Amino acid sequence: MVRIMVAIDYDPSSEKTLNRALADINTEEDKLFLCSVTSNWDYLNDEKNAAKLSLYKNESYCEAKKIPCRSIQLEASDIVGEYCSTIAEFEIDVLYIARQGFRQVA
């Protein structure tokens, strides 16, 4: 069993990243996690809402393709640190990150 996580944000490249992960996943054995970590700073509400919507859309996409997944929505002041903690907590083996990755952390 391989634990696969896709980092989801509001960038359109997240969908391409998810499709790449879905192409690689063994739906009989592997576990898929969709994770969105947004800043807990109040003035970033638009980005938070966009990230939550993207997470919901990608979760629905997986459900439509009959691929089970677990969605994780978190807020933190240290976004990269929160991703690292989540990867360790869920013992993730493979992480897919979209084109924007962690470059646009506020």
Side-chain angles (χ1 to χ4, degrees):
M1 174 185 62
V2 177
R3 291 178 187 89
I4 299 170
M5 179 180 281
V6 180
I8 301 291
D9 62 14
Y10 54 89
D11 187 81
S13 64
S14 288
E15 292 177 22
K16 291 179 184 176
T17 305
L18 176 60
N19 282 324
R20 176 56 199 237
L22 294 180
D24 294 343
I25 196 169
N26 176 344
T27 57
E28 299 296 317
E29 295 179 16
D30 299 342
K31 289 190 176 184
L32 177 64
F33 297 83
L34 306 179
C35 185
S36 178
V37 180
T38 55
S39 173
N40 59 6
W41 297 341
D42 289 337
Y43 71 89
L44 295 173
N45 283 331
D46 290 342
E47 290 181 13
K48 287 183 204 179
N49 291 336
K52 288 177 184 178
L53 179 60
S54 181
L55 184 64
Y56 172 76
K57 284 180 180 178
N58 285 296
E59 181 181 23
S60 297
Y61 179 71
C62 289
E63 288 175 4
K65 292 180 104 18
K66 307 237 185 291
I67 298 173
C69 67
R70 177 172 178 182
S71 292
I72 304 166
Q73 172 67 46
L74 303 166
E75 289 187 15
S77 57
D78 177 8
I79 293 174
V80 174
E82 191 66 28
Y83 268 113
C84 291
S85 296
T86 303
I87 290 165
E89 177 182 346
F90 290 98
E91 300 176 337
I92 299 301
D93 300 303
V94 180
L95 173 65
Y96 288 82
I97 302 173
R99 182 182 69 221
Q100 292 297 322
F102 299 116
R103 289 186 292 165
Q104 296 194 7
V105 176

